[in-house]
Amino acid sequence: MYSPIITLTTDFGLRDSYVAEMKAVIASLSPGTLIIDVSHEVEKFNIRMGAFILAQAAPFFPKETVHLAVVDPEVGGQRKPIVIQTKNGFFVGPDNGVLMLAAQFQEIQKVHEITNPKFTLKRISNTFHGRDIFAPVAAHLAKKHISVEEIGPKVLHPLNPGFAKVSRRGNTLHGEVLHVDGFGNVITNVTEKDLPKSAPDLTVEVKTVSEVIELKLTKTYANSPAGELIALIDSHGYLELAMNKGNAARGLKLNPGEKIILKFCK
Amino acid sequence: MYSPIITLTTDFGLRDSYVAEMKAVIASLSPGTLIIDVSHEVEKFNIRMGAFILAQAAPFFPKETVHLAVVDPEVGGQRKPIVIQTKNGFFVGPDNGVLMLAAQFQEIQKVHEITNPKFTLKRISNTFHGRDIFAPVAAHLAKKHISVEEIGPKVLHPLNPGFAKVSRRGNTLHGEVLHVDGFGNVITNVTEKDLPKSAPDLTVEVKTVSEVIELKLTKTYANSPAGELIALIDSHGYLELAMNKGNAARGLKLNPGEKIILKFCK
Amino acid sequence: MYSPIITLTTDFGLRDSYVAEMKAVIASLSPGTLIIDVSHEVEKFNIRMGAFILAQAAPFFPKETVHLAVVDPEVGGQRKPIVIQTKNGFFVGPDNGVLMLAAQFQEIQKVHEITNPKFTLKRISNTFHGRDIFAPVAAHLAKKHISVEEIGPKVLHPLNPGFAKVSRRGNTLHGEVLHVDGFGNVITNVTEKDLPKSAPDLTVEVKTVSEVIELKLTKTYANSPAGELIALIDSHGYLELAMNKGNAARGLKLNPGEKIILKFCK
């Protein structure tokens, strides 16, 4: 049994009616579609955070899933509404980078602007494209009866902010914080592949606390005493600074975007 | 393919099991029904806020949707449990006004009290009618095998609190704040139709800051510099005071219910 | 029409992508399954709170529902991943007590460890068993094509923390606080059956405020003036301390685990 899926990632919060209005539009146009919330608690206007969260979740969805993301400070302005078709599915939202990170992991095939009024609501407000443009386009894509070419013209240079690259000097890695999760785990842009093969111990230099901290590279939280600062490879392959039963980000005063310097003891 | 929809609007929050218990009852009695959350973050006991949020969302749902709303400080007391049938669907909840605003926009046809024990849980608690009365009635309505007449007797005078009307004196409008959304946008009861045809500039007098503020009537947030106070028609047709990438409500110290005076500089 | 249900109870919060990743795995392996959130706002690492919330919700779900709960401070450590089969359905999660309270109410039939790699994701991370182990096992159980015996060996002594028993001395009951809900209602472990038949008045002694407080045992919030402290039997059969339109827990400074002493004035 094929059941199409649409995911939603926004900074709308769950208190107002905005998310429900998008779901109402989807359920009206594409009954039977399964709608799965990725997050509506992205910080207001934080495109980078929305992009990160969507990129974490997207790989686990089945083929042909339609991912709708709206973190859209320039709604009604110059930024284009777009659809990205990848090898695995579709991404619908503003052309401000919020879709790009997740889409890139799936091999981008086509990027088109949304201009065809056949696939949007008849009346488009200036302030809520999530409901009036993105939700109806996602619903039409989920029904699989349209091609992205019908939606509008090709976009030649979609915005692609990217994430800071990790740089290496000898046994030192310069990286940055991508995300702090609800447990206070500090997720960095350093991946498993960036790490030396045999280095269970490392130091991390964090400007926010003007300190060089010694850490153990461990396999899981439960391996270390409660309250000890540890480093581990998280469930998505990123190096994470964590504290067993504690909040690492609070202790280290680390926020997304902050630089970290890792040194490996041979 | 017909798939019935039930929406939920409550002040229960998402931390406790209460919302899940209502969904369990619905899924048991009416398998296959799509349940869509409108909001569970209505302020505790704030009937007015629940009514507003439901009224924002309801128009976007397909015909025959059943809207269940529970903001119910008098649960177990004298207020009646009711069902409202409108031209477009059904509303189920307490007779305290929480359903009325949304229902009125859809042409009310019938209002009936819920008294028939055939359509509620067998054991009705004194404190959780959302689960024991409203959820099962909504499930039965979604299955479309009962009429509202079977549910109980007609209600002659359902409670109808209404919203404050806008009053006009010359080029001055006296209105009030209906809602402050998660972005800090201040939604007023002034609608597009209340505004003069050609008045891009206006002043707003706000008692909370004892100030008369000059505003531009603009089309969207992105048109103005970040941090500038603006007025615009929002995605539901209401006049909204907003701040591009900022929080207008915080700056103006405005909360729902507060009066505002608008003057138009023709 | 049979539609399988999986419920989710976690301490993951709704801001990150973790809940969506579990849903993605379930939707991939068992399309058509209805996923219902019980709560994702369990306090981080608070197994007792997760167990309580799941136990409140579970009885309202239809037979064969699969309940997945992850409050799992020892993830990746020694605690076992388990499946419990009861008379009414299945419970999937860590063997740390989070499942036990709800499962016990349903007559436990079998407890098995999850060891068969056929029913988990191929790559199991050390930190996210919710996605890599529990979600796929729940999906396979929802499809009803496997037996718990296939999942792994029998668990002889699953962890069973239990709740503190109520003790009685004459007309005095010694109990404790199980939960404080979002309304500030204080839910105790004293049940309807523990109460004398004819005692509308009682006193409660609360150490946190060093006071003996007189209360009326009433039927519902709306029976008493706003702000008055009352006691009533809640919608799950527990004695609850509440305040009509107020927050009883704040006034009494009560948190889960705190002892209370009830005296009945016959």
Side-chain angles (χ1 to χ4, degrees):
Chain A
M1 175 183 51
Y2 173 71
S3 64
I5 297 175
I6 293 176
T7 81
L8 302 181
T9 306
T10 77
D11 61 352
F12 293 165
L14 291 170
R15 203 181 64 119
D16 293 305
S17 59
Y18 304 134
V19 171
E21 294 172 47
M22 292 202 298
K23 291 181 180 176
V25 169
I26 292 168
S28 299
L29 293 174
S30 179
T33 293
L34 177 61
I35 304 170
I36 294 183
D37 297 308
V38 172
S39 175
H40 300 291
E41 304 294 353
V42 175
E43 281 170 28
K44 304 292 181 215
F45 314 131
N46 191 336
I47 295 167
R48 182 196 173 95
M49 179 175 166
F52 176 80
I53 285 179
L54 178 56
Q56 296 278 94
F60 295 92
F61 282 89
K63 273 211 161 202
E64 316 214 326
T65 292
V66 180
H67 301 282
L68 192 172
V70 198
V71 181
D72 196 8
E74 306 297 326
V75 58
Q78 293 302 309
R79 68 96 191 94
K80 288 172 185 152
I82 59 169
V83 174
I84 304 174
Q85 181 173 345
T86 70
K87 220 179 138 191
N88 287 345
F90 300 91
F91 293 83
V92 182
D95 179 23
N96 63 11
V98 71
L99 308 172
M100 255 310 156
L101 190 64
Q104 276 174 339
F105 286 129
Q106 301 190 1
E107 204 177 295
I108 294 174
Q109 295 175 333
K110 296 169 187 173
V111 184
H112 284 254
E113 190 180 348
I114 302 170
T115 58
N116 190 339
K118 255 177 72 181
F119 305 124
T120 65
L121 294 198
K122 265 178 207 154
R123 207 186 138 174
I124 295 175
S125 69
N126 291 305
T127 55
F128 194 3
H129 289 184
R131 179 192 67 198
D132 302 339
I133 295 178
F134 302 129
V137 166
H140 285 291
L141 286 167
K143 286 163 76 181
K144 302 210 295 180
H145 61 176
I146 60 167
S147 69
V148 295
E149 281 80 6
E150 295 172 73
I151 293 170
K154 212 171 180 167
V155 176
L156 294 177
H157 302 291
L159 204 73
N160 188 357
F163 275 151
K165 293 269 185 298
V166 174
S167 76
R168 178 192 304 273
R169 294 167 215 163
N171 65 344
T172 305
L173 286 181
H174 292 246
E176 74 172 56
V177 176
L178 293 181
H179 183 65
V180 172
D181 77 8
F183 291 88
N185 296 322
V186 176
I187 299 158
T188 74
N189 64 341
V190 177
T191 66
E192 202 164 4
K193 290 173 207 154
D194 296 321
L195 297 183
K197 280 257 158 20
S198 57
D201 294 339
L202 62 148
T203 64
V204 58
E205 199 182 321
V206 174
K207 281 197 189 137
T208 42
V209 291
S210 313
E211 251 184 284
V212 176
I213 298 151
E214 286 178 36
L215 294 172
K216 258 202 161 37
L217 187 61
T218 178
K219 284 208 184 266
T220 191
Y221 309 119
N223 283 349
S224 57
E228 191 174 284
L229 210 60
I230 52 174
L232 76 175
I233 298 300
D234 79 4
S235 65
H236 295 85
Y238 292 113
L239 184 82
E240 178 185 301
L241 309 180
M243 186 183 279
N244 185 18
K245 283 165 206 149
N247 190 307
R250 209 176 291 147
L252 297 172
K253 294 180 193 158
L254 276 174
N255 289 305
E258 242 133 8
K259 307 292 176 204
I260 52 162
I261 300 172
L262 299 168
K263 272 205 186 95
F264 298 92
C265 323
K266 98 197 132 76
Chain B
M1 175 183 51
Y2 173 71
S3 64
I5 296 175
I6 292 176
T7 80
L8 303 180
T9 305
T10 77
D11 61 351
F12 294 166
L14 291 170
R15 203 181 64 118
D16 293 305
S17 59
Y18 304 136
V19 172
E21 293 173 48
M22 292 202 298
K23 292 181 180 176
V25 169
I26 292 168
S28 298
L29 293 174
S30 180
T33 293
L34 177 62
I35 304 171
I36 295 183
D37 297 309
V38 172
S39 175
H40 300 290
E41 304 293 354
V42 174
E43 281 171 29
K44 305 293 183 215
F45 314 131
N46 191 336
I47 295 167
R48 182 197 173 94
M49 180 175 164
F52 177 79
I53 284 179
L54 177 56
Q56 296 279 94
F60 295 93
F61 282 89
K63 273 209 159 202
E64 315 214 326
T65 292
V66 180
H67 301 282
L68 192 172
V70 198
V71 182
D72 196 9
E74 306 298 326
V75 58
Q78 292 303 308
R79 67 97 190 95
K80 290 173 184 149
I82 58 169
V83 174
I84 303 175
Q85 181 173 346
T86 71
K87 222 180 136 189
N88 289 343
F90 300 91
F91 293 83
V92 182
D95 179 23
N96 63 11
V98 71
L99 308 172
M100 254 312 155
L101 190 65
Q104 275 174 340
F105 286 130
Q106 300 191 1
E107 204 176 294
I108 294 173
Q109 294 175 333
K110 296 168 187 176
V111 184
H112 284 253
E113 190 180 349
I114 302 169
T115 58
N116 191 338
K118 254 177 70 180
F119 306 124
T120 64
L121 294 197
K122 264 175 209 156
R123 207 186 137 173
I124 296 176
S125 69
N126 292 306
T127 55
F128 194 3
H129 289 183
R131 179 192 68 198
D132 302 339
I133 296 178
F134 302 130
V137 166
H140 285 290
L141 286 167
K143 285 162 77 181
K144 302 209 296 179
H145 61 176
I146 59 166
S147 69
V148 295
E149 281 80 6
E150 295 172 74
I151 294 170
K154 210 170 179 166
V155 176
L156 294 177
H157 303 291
L159 204 73
N160 188 354
F163 275 152
K165 293 269 185 299
V166 174
S167 76
R168 178 192 303 276
R169 293 168 214 162
N171 66 345
T172 305
L173 286 182
H174 292 245
E176 73 173 56
V177 176
L178 293 181
H179 183 66
V180 171
D181 77 9
F183 291 89
N185 297 322
V186 177
I187 298 159
T188 74
N189 64 342
V190 177
T191 65
E192 201 163 5
K193 290 172 206 156
D194 296 321
L195 297 182
K197 280 259 157 22
S198 57
D201 294 339
L202 62 148
T203 64
V204 57
E205 200 181 321
V206 174
K207 281 196 189 137
T208 41
V209 291
S210 312
E211 250 184 284
V212 177
I213 298 150
E214 285 178 36
L215 294 172
K216 257 202 161 36
L217 187 61
T218 179
K219 284 208 185 265
T220 192
Y221 310 118
N223 282 350
S224 58
E228 191 174 283
L229 210 60
I230 53 174
L232 76 175
I233 298 300
D234 79 3
S235 65
H236 296 85
Y238 292 113
L239 185 81
E240 178 183 302
L241 309 180
M243 187 184 280
N244 186 17
K245 283 165 206 150
N247 189 306
R250 209 175 291 147
L252 296 171
K253 296 180 191 158
L254 276 174
N255 290 305
E258 242 132 7
K259 307 293 175 200
I260 52 161
I261 301 172
L262 299 169
K263 272 207 185 94
F264 298 92
C265 325
K266 70 177 162 68
Chain C
M1 174 184 51
Y2 173 71
S3 63
I5 297 175
I6 293 176
T7 81
L8 302 180
T9 306
T10 77
D11 62 351
F12 294 165
L14 291 170
R15 203 181 65 119
D16 293 306
S17 60
Y18 304 135
V19 172
E21 293 172 48
M22 291 202 299
K23 292 181 180 176
V25 169
I26 292 168
S28 299
L29 292 174
S30 179
T33 292
L34 177 61
I35 304 170
I36 294 182
D37 297 309
V38 172
S39 175
H40 300 291
E41 304 294 352
V42 175
E43 282 170 29
K44 304 292 182 216
F45 314 130
N46 191 336
I47 295 167
R48 183 196 173 94
M49 180 176 165
F52 176 79
I53 285 179
L54 177 56
Q56 296 279 93
F60 295 92
F61 282 89
K63 273 208 159 205
E64 315 214 325
T65 293
V66 180
H67 301 282
L68 191 172
V70 198
V71 181
D72 196 8
E74 305 298 326
V75 58
Q78 292 303 308
R79 67 98 191 94
K80 290 172 184 150
I82 59 169
V83 174
I84 304 174
Q85 181 172 345
T86 71
K87 222 181 136 188
N88 288 344
F90 300 92
F91 293 82
V92 182
D95 180 22
N96 62 13
V98 71
L99 308 171
M100 256 308 157
L101 190 65
Q104 275 174 339
F105 287 130
Q106 301 190 0
E107 205 178 294
I108 294 173
Q109 295 175 334
K110 296 169 188 174
V111 184
H112 284 254
E113 190 180 348
I114 302 169
T115 58
N116 190 338
K118 254 177 71 180
F119 305 125
T120 64
L121 294 199
K122 264 177 210 156
R123 205 185 139 174
I124 295 176
S125 69
N126 291 306
T127 55
F128 194 3
H129 289 184
R131 178 193 68 199
D132 302 339
I133 296 178
F134 302 130
V137 166
H140 285 291
L141 286 168
K143 286 163 77 182
K144 301 210 296 179
H145 61 176
I146 59 166
S147 69
V148 295
E149 282 80 5
E150 295 172 73
I151 293 170
K154 210 170 179 168
V155 176
L156 293 177
H157 302 290
L159 204 74
N160 187 356
F163 275 151
K165 293 269 185 298
V166 174
S167 75
R168 176 192 303 274
R169 294 168 213 163
N171 67 344
T172 304
L173 287 181
H174 292 246
E176 74 172 56
V177 176
L178 293 180
H179 183 65
V180 172
D181 78 7
F183 291 89
N185 297 322
V186 176
I187 299 158
T188 74
N189 64 342
V190 177
T191 67
E192 202 163 4
K193 290 172 206 157
D194 297 320
L195 297 182
K197 279 258 157 20
S198 57
D201 294 340
L202 62 148
T203 64
V204 58
E205 201 183 320
V206 174
K207 281 195 190 139
T208 42
V209 292
S210 313
E211 250 184 284
V212 176
I213 298 152
E214 285 177 37
L215 293 172
K216 258 203 162 33
L217 188 62
T218 179
K219 285 210 184 261
T220 192
Y221 310 117
N223 283 349
S224 59
E228 191 174 283
L229 210 59
I230 53 175
L232 76 175
I233 298 299
D234 79 2
S235 65
H236 295 85
Y238 292 114
L239 185 81
E240 177 184 304
L241 310 179
M243 187 185 279
N244 186 18
K245 281 164 208 151
N247 189 305
R250 210 176 289 147
L252 297 172
K253 295 181 192 157
L254 277 174
N255 289 305
E258 242 131 9
K259 308 293 178 202
I260 53 162
I261 301 172
L262 298 169
K263 272 207 187 95
F264 298 93
C265 326
K266 78 181 151 72

CSV table of all heavy atoms in Angstrom, one decimal, chain B residues 218-241:
chain,number,residue,atom,x,y,z
B,218,THR,N,1.7,48.6,5.4
B,218,THR,CA,2.5,48.0,4.3
B,218,THR,C,2.0,46.6,3.9
B,218,THR,O,0.9,46.2,4.5
B,218,THR,CB,4.0,47.9,4.8
B,218,THR,OG1,4.8,47.3,3.8
B,218,THR,CG2,4.1,47.1,6.1
B,219,LYS,N,2.6,46.0,3.0
B,219,LYS,CA,2.0,44.7,2.5
B,219,LYS,C,2.6,43.5,3.2
B,219,LYS,O,1.9,42.5,3.3
B,219,LYS,CB,2.2,44.6,1.0
B,219,LYS,CG,1.2,45.5,0.2
B,219,LYS,CD,0.9,45.0,-1.1
B,219,LYS,CE,0.0,46.0,-1.9
B,219,LYS,NZ,-1.4,45.7,-1.8
B,220,THR,N,3.8,43.6,3.5
B,220,THR,CA,4.5,42.4,4.1
B,220,THR,C,5.6,42.8,5.0
B,220,THR,O,6.1,44.0,4.9
B,220,THR,CB,4.9,41.4,3.0
B,220,THR,OG1,5.2,40.2,3.7
B,220,THR,CG2,6.1,41.9,2.2
B,221,TYR,N,6.1,41.9,5.9
B,221,TYR,CA,7.1,42.2,6.8
B,221,TYR,C,8.4,42.7,6.1
B,221,TYR,O,9.0,43.7,6.5
B,221,TYR,CB,7.4,41.0,7.7
B,221,TYR,CG,6.2,40.4,8.3
B,221,TYR,CD1,5.9,39.1,8.0
B,221,TYR,CD2,5.4,41.1,9.2
B,221,TYR,CE1,4.8,38.5,8.6
B,221,TYR,CE2,4.3,40.5,9.8
B,221,TYR,CZ,4.0,39.2,9.4
B,221,TYR,OH,2.9,38.7,10.0
B,222,ALA,N,8.7,42.0,5.0
B,222,ALA,CA,10.0,42.2,4.4
B,222,ALA,C,10.2,43.5,3.7
B,222,ALA,O,11.3,43.9,3.3
B,222,ALA,CB,10.3,41.0,3.4
B,223,ASN,N,9.1,44.3,3.6
B,223,ASN,CA,9.2,45.6,3.0
B,223,ASN,C,9.8,46.7,3.8
B,223,ASN,O,10.2,47.7,3.3
B,223,ASN,CB,7.8,46.1,2.6
B,223,ASN,CG,7.2,45.4,1.4
B,223,ASN,OD1,7.9,44.7,0.7
B,223,ASN,ND2,5.9,45.6,1.2
B,224,SER,N,10.0,46.4,5.1
B,224,SER,CA,10.4,47.5,6.0
B,224,SER,C,11.7,47.1,6.7
B,224,SER,O,12.0,45.9,6.8
B,224,SER,CB,9.3,47.8,7.0
B,224,SER,OG,9.0,46.6,7.7
B,225,PRO,N,12.5,48.1,7.2
B,225,PRO,CA,13.7,47.7,7.9
B,225,PRO,C,13.4,46.9,9.1
B,225,PRO,O,12.4,47.0,9.7
B,225,PRO,CB,14.3,49.1,8.3
B,225,PRO,CG,13.5,50.1,7.6
B,225,PRO,CD,12.2,49.5,7.2
B,226,ALA,N,14.4,46.0,9.5
B,226,ALA,CA,14.2,45.2,10.7
B,226,ALA,C,14.0,46.1,11.9
B,226,ALA,O,14.7,47.1,12.0
B,226,ALA,CB,15.5,44.3,10.9
B,227,GLY,N,13.1,45.8,12.7
B,227,GLY,CA,12.9,46.6,14.0
B,227,GLY,C,11.9,47.7,13.8
B,227,GLY,O,11.5,48.3,14.8
B,228,GLU,N,11.4,48.0,12.6
B,228,GLU,CA,10.5,49.1,12.4
B,228,GLU,C,9.1,48.5,12.7
B,228,GLU,O,8.7,47.4,12.2
B,228,GLU,CB,10.5,49.6,11.0
B,228,GLU,CG,9.7,50.9,10.8
B,228,GLU,CD,9.9,51.5,9.5
B,228,GLU,OE1,11.0,52.2,9.2
B,228,GLU,OE2,9.0,51.4,8.6
B,229,LEU,N,8.3,49.4,13.4
B,229,LEU,CA,6.9,49.0,13.7
B,229,LEU,C,6.1,49.3,12.4
B,229,LEU,O,6.1,50.3,11.8
B,229,LEU,CB,6.4,49.8,14.8
B,229,LEU,CG,5.3,49.2,15.7
B,229,LEU,CD1,5.8,48.0,16.4
B,229,LEU,CD2,5.0,50.2,16.8
B,230,ILE,N,5.3,48.3,12.0
B,230,ILE,CA,4.4,48.4,10.8
B,230,ILE,C,3.0,47.9,11.1
B,230,ILE,O,2.8,47.3,12.1
B,230,ILE,CB,5.0,47.6,9.6
B,230,ILE,CG1,5.3,46.2,10.1
B,230,ILE,CG2,6.3,48.3,9.1
B,230,ILE,CD1,5.7,45.3,8.9
B,231,ALA,N,2.1,48.3,10.2
B,231,ALA,CA,0.8,47.7,10.2
B,231,ALA,C,0.6,47.0,8.9
B,231,ALA,O,1.0,47.5,7.8
B,231,ALA,CB,-0.2,48.8,10.4
B,232,LEU,N,-0.1,45.9,8.9
B,232,LEU,CA,-0.5,45.3,7.6
B,232,LEU,C,-1.7,44.4,7.8
B,232,LEU,O,-2.2,44.2,8.9
B,232,LEU,CB,0.7,44.4,7.1
B,232,LEU,CG,1.0,43.1,7.8
B,232,LEU,CD1,2.1,42.4,7.0
B,232,LEU,CD2,1.4,43.2,9.2
B,233,ILE,N,-2.3,44.0,6.7
B,233,ILE,CA,-3.4,43.1,6.7
B,233,ILE,C,-2.9,41.7,6.8
B,233,ILE,O,-2.1,41.3,5.9
B,233,ILE,CB,-4.3,43.3,5.5
B,233,ILE,CG1,-4.9,44.7,5.5
B,233,ILE,CG2,-5.5,42.3,5.5
B,233,ILE,CD1,-5.8,45.1,6.7
B,234,ASP,N,-3.3,41.0,7.8
B,234,ASP,CA,-2.7,39.6,8.0
B,234,ASP,C,-3.3,38.6,7.1
B,234,ASP,O,-4.2,38.9,6.3
B,234,ASP,CB,-2.6,39.2,9.4
B,234,ASP,CG,-4.0,38.7,9.9
B,234,ASP,OD1,-5.0,38.6,9.1
B,234,ASP,OD2,-4.1,38.4,11.1
B,235,SER,N,-2.9,37.4,7.2
B,235,SER,CA,-3.4,36.3,6.3
B,235,SER,C,-4.8,35.9,6.5
B,235,SER,O,-5.3,35.0,5.8
B,235,SER,CB,-2.4,35.1,6.4
B,235,SER,OG,-2.5,34.5,7.7
B,236,HIS,N,-5.5,36.5,7.5
B,236,HIS,CA,-6.9,36.2,7.8
B,236,HIS,C,-7.8,37.4,7.6
B,236,HIS,O,-8.9,37.4,7.9
B,236,HIS,CB,-7.1,35.7,9.2
B,236,HIS,CG,-6.5,34.3,9.4
B,236,HIS,ND1,-5.1,34.2,9.8
B,236,HIS,CD2,-6.9,33.1,9.3
B,236,HIS,CE1,-4.8,32.9,9.9
B,236,HIS,NE2,-5.9,32.2,9.6
B,237,GLY,N,-7.1,38.5,7.1
B,237,GLY,CA,-7.9,39.8,6.8
B,237,GLY,C,-8.0,40.7,8.0
B,237,GLY,O,-8.7,41.7,7.9
B,238,TYR,N,-7.3,40.5,9.1
B,238,TYR,CA,-7.3,41.4,10.2
B,238,TYR,C,-6.1,42.4,10.1
B,238,TYR,O,-5.0,42.0,9.6
B,238,TYR,CB,-7.2,40.7,11.5
B,238,TYR,CG,-8.4,39.8,11.9
B,238,TYR,CD1,-8.3,38.4,11.9
B,238,TYR,CD2,-9.6,40.4,12.2
B,238,TYR,CE1,-9.4,37.7,12.3
B,238,TYR,CE2,-10.7,39.7,12.6
B,238,TYR,CZ,-10.6,38.3,12.6
B,238,TYR,OH,-11.6,37.5,12.9
B,239,LEU,N,-6.3,43.6,10.7
B,239,LEU,CA,-5.2,44.5,10.8
B,239,LEU,C,-4.2,44.0,11.9
B,239,LEU,O,-4.7,43.8,13.0
B,239,LEU,CB,-5.7,45.9,11.1
B,239,LEU,CG,-4.6,47.0,11.1
B,239,LEU,CD1,-4.2,47.4,9.7
B,239,LEU,CD2,-4.9,48.2,12.0
B,240,GLU,N,-3.0,44.0,11.5
B,240,GLU,CA,-2.0,43.4,12.5
B,240,GLU,C,-0.9,44.5,12.7
B,240,GLU,O,-0.4,45.1,11.7
B,240,GLU,CB,-1.4,42.2,11.8
B,240,GLU,CG,-0.3,41.5,12.6
B,240,GLU,CD,0.2,40.3,11.8
B,240,GLU,OE1,-0.5,39.4,11.5
B,240,GLU,OE2,1.4,40.3,11.5
B,241,LEU,N,-0.5,44.7,13.9
B,241,LEU,CA,0.7,45.5,14.2
B,241,LEU,C,1.9,44.6,14.3
B,241,LEU,O,1.8,43.6,15.1
B,241,LEU,CB,0.5,46.3,15.5
B,241,LEU,CG,-0.9,47.1,15.6
B,241,LEU,CD1,-1.0,47.8,16.9
B,241,LEU,CD2,-1.0,48.1,14.4
